[in-house]
Amino acid sequence: MKKLENYVQGKWISGDGNGQQLFNAVDGSPIALASTKGLDFAATLDYARRKGNAALRKMTFQERGRMLRALALHLLEKKEQFYKISFQTGATKIDSWIDIEGGIGNLFANASLRRKLPDETFTLDGEAIALSKQNSFMGHHILVPKEGVAIHINAYNFPIWGMLEKIAVNLLAGVPAVVKPATVTCYLTEAVVREIVASNILPDGALQLICGSAGDVLNHVTSQDVITFTGSASTGLQLKSHPVILSENTPFNLEADSLNCMVLGNDVNPGQPEWDIFIKEVKKEMTVKAGQKCTAVRRIFVPENKMEDVWKALVTELNKTVIGNPHNEKVRMGSLAGIDQRIEVKAQVQKLLATSELLFGSLESVEVVDADAVKGAFISPMLLMNTSPFTSEDPHNIEAFGPVSTIMPYKNIEDAIELSKKGKGSLCSSIITNDARTAKEYVLGAASHHGRILVLNNDCAKESTGHGSPLPLLTHGGPGRSGGGEEMGGLRGIKHYLQRTAIQGSPSMITAISNVYQQYAKGNSCAIHPFRKYFEELEIGDQIVTEKRLITSADIDAFADVSGDHFYAHLINTDFNGTMFEEQVAHGYFIMSAAAGLFVDSYKKNPVLLNYGIDELRFTKPMYAGSSLYIKFTCKEKTAQELKEINPDVPMIKGADIPKGIVKWLVEMFDETDELVGIATILTMVQMKNKN
Ligand code: NAP
């Protein structure tokens, strides 16, 4: 019998003894043994910190992002072999697509996040904070990679996605991972890790894999590590109360059972597109992955006068679901992950049936195609009904982690909100409505209890990613019962693996530390105009202070004519009584344009390829005719760009493969009294001298 190996300390190693027998979920045949007995977990974590962390934290966000992209492309090439194995978990092609390509999609999405991060090993967080009157003392926040390891303890339902959605984030942050998938489906995770290791894309120690029991791994965690757990609330509680985790204050991110709900808005009636959307979405949530999704809909809330119509429509749809061997193309629902999981689901349904009735499905039997319903971990979808949801606690408390949902009536939107909250915290809730007022009331009333809310109607249904899909750029996690955790969420996610430190000092010091020019720091006065420097030659703080330009009434009139902006404040004949101004005031955009006229190095071709935008433009003081404008123009931040990359912000420009980088410039606009009249950050693309 094949024995799975663990990937620890740079080697594939079998655990001692026979370990746990793993079975094919579809036909019950044994497929592998998994053991972690005899592994040195302390040494495994130490290896991650010494090797993986040391290597990753030296890489910049750009390098880590490119590494993730390379990994995503590599795994995409190998995907067919993962599909083959995935069938053994009971997953259909579509279920496997979520796991495999959804997981790889997380790598791509996190790889792309590098564009929002500097070409540094660390990043600044948020805004600079002024702390003194004379501007000699300031504060900021800096984020540096933690010096530990991410330990991911995962659930059995998504053996690939569960790993990739988590490691994408810690790797981008510069932190290595030890992944412990749930044992029952860890053979699929192992197959993917084998490909990752073989690719040599990640540095040594960046990823280790434990196939089987977690042993005493938690005895060896430190304050620099991060633990994420996805699984049942009871295991989660047990693990997060581990004395070492408590004494070390190790961050513990918990994603647990969730009684997610879907609400049918009172405005939706049979015959409307939203009615069909609702029925389709509930069916999908019940049957995709045989209901073994953390986000699957467990509670369905329907206006009381539409209960019968809804459940009859659902029964009709569920009846059409072909269940069986996922290799058969007609099959729409495969099996559960294993026989133990079926026993567990049935036991939970039994509990639910104490206060609910079964409208569809059976605890005893299920009709399957191309499979043995008993040997394989098959189960029938089950639709339950509970008609007194305010007094019955069971449907709000008991999670059957399979194709099981309970339909319940509500009277008005306030009731629907209250019922949604009776789940005591969920990962996701949806409302299907066309009525913006209903949607707003529901979202504002229920959001405190749900990590994500989908508002679905015909306008977005076609392109909607659906109730059940957590997305890499949106946070996944929920309050209360669902764990109180938060993962993914784009840049929010990586912050779980970075230490945020407030830094204080002079603007020049903060500039030197962060490599981002801070207002009031000393600049480097440039002998040549910085626009004549190539990307590599530019230094943060390179600065010019321009000549003064007189702003005249004729200028303001001309700008009004050219732009068509004849706002009363810019017209000389306006009666300024009761306005914010004393007299004809220059357009802010004219001041910005005049600023460009002063700071741009005109006429000669130079390494600046183009100007592609302005961030944070503010006008701080009105400029009247007769005043003069001058500019302090400083190189603020530089980020090299990869060759041949099309910038997503300006995909239409030609010559996207010129070696270049993004340079941000701080534009400070002053009048003749040296008072700030405006401030902006402009973005340019600057050519590199070296052709890469
Ligand atoms: P589980 O028993 O809690 O197991 C989850 C993970 O914890 C597995 O990897 C398991 O490993 C591990 N584990 C169990 N005991 C441990 C211990 N003493 N020390 C270290 N690790 C330990 O959950 P499950 O029954 O497999 O999964 C189903 C549950 O997961 C459902 O309740 C579902 O709601 C929840 N879930 C939640 C989410 C979410 O995002 N919120 C996602 C998916 C699933 P072994 O496999 O080796 O026991």
Side-chain angles (χ1 to χ4, degrees):
M1 174 64 50
K2 178 185 169 194
K3 200 162 170 190
L4 294 179
E5 290 180 315
N6 306 283
Y7 186 68
V8 289
Q9 298 167 62
K11 289 194 274 297
W12 285 101
I13 302 174
S14 303
D16 297 339
N18 277 342
Q20 190 176 326
Q21 177 76 65
L22 312 183
F23 298 97
N24 183 321
V26 180
D27 60 18
S29 61
I31 50 176
L33 295 165
S35 164
T36 62
K37 217 168 155 197
L39 293 191
D40 185 342
F41 288 104
T44 301
L45 297 187
D46 187 49
Y47 191 82
R49 295 182 199 112
R50 274 188 302 107
K51 291 272 189 181
N53 190 295
L56 288 166
R57 66 187 299 108
K58 276 197 208 113
M59 297 168 72
T60 68
F61 284 109
Q62 307 300 316
E63 290 167 333
R64 294 178 209 141
R66 288 196 290 271
M67 173 184 80
L68 288 181
R69 192 176 138 75
L71 189 60
L73 289 169
H74 177 77
L75 293 180
L76 213 48
E77 253 176 45
K78 307 283 173 186
K79 67 178 182 182
E80 288 312 324
Q81 71 197 55
F82 307 142
Y83 273 100
K84 276 189 203 136
I85 304 172
S86 180
F87 284 127
Q88 299 175 17
T89 68
T92 62
K93 182 93 187 184
I94 286 177
D95 299 341
S96 303
W97 182 87
I98 300 170
D99 195 26
I100 299 167
E101 302 194 44
I104 295 172
N106 268 266
L107 292 177
F108 277 122
N110 278 276
S112 296
L113 280 180
R114 71 188 184 281
R115 298 203 181 89
K116 296 188 183 296
L117 291 160
D119 197 6
E120 302 282 356
T121 58
F122 61 88
T123 182
L124 286 174
D125 185 39
E127 313 252 306
I129 294 154
L131 294 174
S132 68
K133 283 201 174 127
Q134 304 299 321
N135 299 315
S136 68
F137 184 60
M138 65 169 290
H140 219 312
H141 290 87
I142 195 164
L143 295 165
V144 297
K146 287 177 185 274
E147 293 192 358
V149 47
I151 300 156
H152 301 308
I153 300 175
N154 290 345
Y156 59 77
N157 53 344
F158 288 110
I160 301 179
W161 178 87
M163 169 172 69
L164 296 183
E165 59 106 350
K166 289 182 178 179
I167 67 165
V169 183
N170 61 258
L171 291 173
L172 184 62
V175 172
V178 170
V179 175
K180 186 243 163 302
T183 305
V184 64
T185 50
C186 69
Y187 51 89
L188 181 50
T189 319
E190 192 234 26
V192 177
V193 173
R194 278 201 183 272
E195 281 304 335
I196 294 177
V197 172
S199 75
N200 273 323
I201 289 169
L202 301 186
D204 191 17
L207 177 64
Q208 297 180 82
L209 174 74
I210 297 171
C211 285
S213 156
D216 68 349
V217 72
L218 297 182
N219 288 344
H220 308 291
V221 298
T222 70
S223 58
Q224 288 291 313
D225 301 332
V226 176
I227 301 167
T228 73
F229 171 83
T230 304
S232 63
S234 56
T235 315
L237 177 64
Q238 184 199 337
L239 299 191
K240 79 170 181 182
S241 333
H242 191 289
V244 178
I245 293 175
L246 294 178
S247 67
E248 287 284 320
N249 292 318
T250 311
F252 189 99
N253 192 74
L254 176 58
E255 303 272 337
D257 316 357
S258 179
L259 276 302
N260 314 292
C261 64
M262 188 172 282
V263 179
L264 178 68
N266 209 357
D267 56 303
V268 180
N269 292 304
Q272 277 177 246
E274 281 74 15
W275 181 271
D276 298 334
I277 290 166
F278 176 79
I279 300 295
K280 199 170 145 200
E281 195 72 7
V282 172
K283 180 193 174 185
K284 191 169 93 186
E285 284 304 311
M286 288 183 69
T287 55
V288 167
K289 196 71 198 172
Q292 303 165 108
K293 281 196 318 196
C294 52
T295 48
V297 169
R298 308 288 171 207
R299 301 177 297 150
I300 309 161
F301 299 125
V302 171
E304 56 186 1
N305 59 341
K306 292 170 189 161
M307 278 289 279
E308 195 173 335
D309 285 342
V310 168
W311 73 251
K312 283 188 172 159
L314 279 174
V315 166
T316 307
E317 283 306 311
L318 289 169
N319 241 327
K320 295 181 194 158
T321 309
V322 181
I323 303 163
N325 189 334
H327 278 110
N328 184 312
E329 279 179 6
K330 291 204 180 94
V331 164
R332 291 291 167 268
M333 188 176 110
S335 71
L336 297 176
I339 300 293
D340 287 349
Q341 283 67 35
R342 180 167 64 190
I343 294 169
E344 174 71 18
V345 171
K346 285 186 177 179
Q348 295 295 82
V349 175
Q350 287 285 14
K351 287 188 209 162
L352 284 167
L353 286 175
T355 47
S356 297
E357 62 179 290
L358 191 59
L359 294 175
F360 177 85
S362 158
L363 266 177
E364 276 76 44
S365 63
V366 54
E367 209 177 294
V368 296
V369 297
D370 269 0
D372 182 321
V374 180
K375 280 192 188 149
F378 294 98
I379 194 162
S380 146
M382 282 173 268
L383 180 67
L384 281 60
M385 177 165 72
N386 185 304
T387 49
S388 48
F390 274 105
T391 50
S392 302
E393 295 303 321
D394 289 352
H396 309 291
N397 279 329
I398 298 170
E399 183 204 36
F401 201 61
V404 184
S405 290
T406 306
I407 181 168
M408 293 172 256
Y410 78 85
K411 278 192 170 44
N412 50 42
I413 193 70
E414 290 83 10
D415 277 4
I417 292 168
E418 277 322 299
L419 289 171
S420 86
K421 291 180 182 173
K422 281 177 79 67
K424 300 196 189 85
S426 91
L427 294 171
C428 182
S429 168
S430 293
I431 179 160
I432 284 69
T433 181
N434 245 331
D435 180 35
R437 234 185 295 169
T438 301
K440 181 170 181 179
E441 207 173 330
Y442 185 75
V443 169
L444 298 186
S448 56
H449 284 60
H450 306 283
R452 177 164 60 88
I453 297 181
L454 164 69
V455 181
L456 199 54
N457 67 4
N458 200 34
D459 293 345
C460 64
K462 242 195 190 143
E463 287 194 298
S464 158
T465 46
H467 167 99
S469 304
L471 298 175
L473 300 184
L474 297 181
T475 49
H476 173 55
R481 182 198 301 279
S482 56
E486 201 179 275
E487 57 185 40
M488 304 204 281
L491 290 180
R492 293 170 194 85
I494 65 164
K495 294 184 183 174
H496 297 303
Y497 301 96
L498 299 167
Q499 172 62 39
R500 180 183 292 108
T501 303
I503 49 170
Q504 294 169 286
S506 72
S508 295
M509 276 299 180
I510 306 292
T511 297
I513 293 165
S514 63
N515 219 16
V516 176
Y517 178 78
Q518 306 295 323
Q519 198 183 7
Y520 309 116
K522 281 187 207 104
N524 326 317
S525 132
C526 285
I528 61 163
H529 193 289
F531 275 16
R532 296 188 191 176
K533 293 188 178 185
Y534 283 94
F535 183 82
E536 301 91 324
E537 295 167 339
L538 278 168
E539 284 183 29
I540 301 304
D542 278 358
Q543 191 173 72
I544 52 163
V545 178
T546 69
E547 300 291 303
K548 288 198 175 77
R549 168 191 173 148
L550 184 68
I551 304 295
T552 66
S553 178
D555 287 337
I556 303 172
D557 290 344
F559 190 83
D561 286 342
V562 166
S563 65
D565 176 352
H566 292 101
F567 185 64
Y568 67 83
H570 307 310
L571 308 183
I572 195 153
N573 293 330
T574 295
D575 172 3
F576 282 88
N577 275 329
T579 74
M580 295 289 285
F581 303 102
E582 290 158 17
E583 55 186 90
Q584 181 188 26
V585 65
H587 304 69
Y589 302 123
F590 169 50
I591 298 304
M592 184 68 232
S593 307
L598 289 166
F599 67 70
V600 167
D601 183 39
S602 305
Y603 305 125
K604 276 212 174 103
K605 215 168 165 186
N606 59 40
V608 177
L609 297 165
L610 56 84
N611 159 16
Y612 83 96
I614 302 177
D615 279 351
E616 300 145 20
L617 170 61
R618 291 285 179 282
F619 304 119
T620 51
K621 185 187 172 191
M623 280 204 94
Y624 297 113
S627 53
S628 296
L629 174 74
Y630 75 93
I631 309 300
K632 198 195 270 183
F633 184 69
T634 316
C635 177
K636 182 176 171 182
E637 205 177 336
K638 290 167 59 182
T639 309
Q641 280 199 314
E642 291 140 45
L643 215 55
K644 289 226 166 87
E645 195 180 30
I646 305 285
N647 184 311
D649 296 338
V650 275
M652 74 297 287
I653 65 145
K654 67 173 186 142
D657 57 351
I658 296 175
K660 64 191 179 310
I662 302 295
V663 181
K664 294 186 182 178
W665 307 85
L666 185 67
V667 182
E668 292 168 275
M669 300 164 234
F670 298 97
D671 65 11
E672 68 284 356
T673 66
D674 298 330
E675 267 196 75
L676 195 73
V677 296
I679 188 163
T681 296
I682 67 155
L683 296 88
T684 59
M685 274 184 195
V686 178
Q687 193 170 352
M688 287 181 182
K689 196 170 198 168
N690 300 323
K691 303 282 178 233
N692 286 23

